[in-house]
Amino acid sequence: MIDFTLRINRENYDVTAMTDTPLLFVLRNNLNLKGSKLGCGLEQCGACAVLVNGESTFSCAIAASSLVGKSIITIEGVSESGTLSAIQKAFLTEIAAQCGYCTPGMIIATTALFDKNPSPKKQDILEALQKHLCRCGSHARILTAINNMQSDHSQND
C-alpha cells in the first residue's frame, strides 16, 4: 500500500491503495464516486471513462497511482456548482439513455470532444464514441442529443 494524492473534480484527495489499483476502484470504493461504471474491465466498453488532463480515459485498467499530478474529472465533476453542462442537458432533454449504464462514459467522451473541437463534424462525433458500447441501443438518441446540442449552441453564437 502507498499513500498519494489525486486531483479529482477540482479537489485534492489523499488515497491509500496498492500501486496497481485501477483508478475506477479508487473512485468507487475509496472516494464513493459511483458515476463511472465497471463494464468489461478490459478497456473495451467505455462505461468507466473519465477525463484525465482533458482526454477521455478508461479508468478500469489504469493504475490510480500513475495519475498523481494530473487533473481527473469524473461524471460527477462535469457539472459545476450544481449546473448541468450543455452536454448533460442535451442527453436529458433527448432522453438519450435507456438503462443509463453507458451514459457517464458517453458524456465524458462527448465532453472531451467538444472541449477540443466546439463544432465537430458527424465523423468526429462517431470517432469519439466508437469505443463506447451501449447494449440498450440508445446510440441513435445519443447522436440526436449531440446534434441538437450542437444546433442550439450554434444558434446562440
Side-chain angles (χ1 to χ4, degrees), residues 42 57 60 72 78 114 141:
L42 301 170
T57 304
C60 65
I72 302 163
V78 171
F114 275 82
R141 286 185 291 188

Side-chain angles (χ1 to χ4, degrees), residues 6-9 23-24 27 48-60 62-64 66-75 108-109 111-112 115-116:
L6 294 176
R7 180 104 179 129
I8 302 171
N9 299 334
L23 174 62
L24 179 64
L27 293 173
C48 66
V50 298
L51 296 172
V52 176
N53 289 346
E55 296 287 330
S56 181
T57 304
F58 294 167
S59 66
C60 65
I62 190 168
S66 73
L67 300 173
V68 171
K70 299 185 189 258
S71 171
I72 302 163
I73 302 291
T74 68
I75 190 66
I108 289 290
T111 299
D115 284 351
K116 285 188 180 92

Side-chain angles (χ1 to χ4, degrees), residues 12-99:
N12 289 329
Y13 291 89
D14 293 324
V15 175
T16 300
M18 301 295 286
T19 55
D20 61 349
T21 301
L23 174 62
L24 179 64
F25 297 160
V26 168
L27 293 173
R28 293 180 61 80
N29 301 336
N30 296 49
L31 304 177
N32 205 31
L33 295 169
K34 307 280 187 185
S36 302
K37 307 294 189 230
L38 176 61
C40 66
L42 301 170
E43 298 183 311
Q44 295 180 5
C45 74
C48 66
V50 298
L51 296 172
V52 176
N53 289 346
E55 296 287 330
S56 181
T57 304
F58 294 167
S59 66
C60 65
I62 190 168
S65 62
S66 73
L67 300 173
V68 171
K70 299 185 189 258
S71 171
I72 302 163
I73 302 291
T74 68
I75 190 66
E76 291 90 348
V78 171
S79 63
E80 289 191 56
S81 303
T83 302
L84 296 178
S85 72
I87 294 165
Q88 290 172 308
K89 288 177 188 174
F91 273 62
L92 186 61
T93 299
E94 190 56 41
I95 311 171
Q98 189 165 327
C99 80

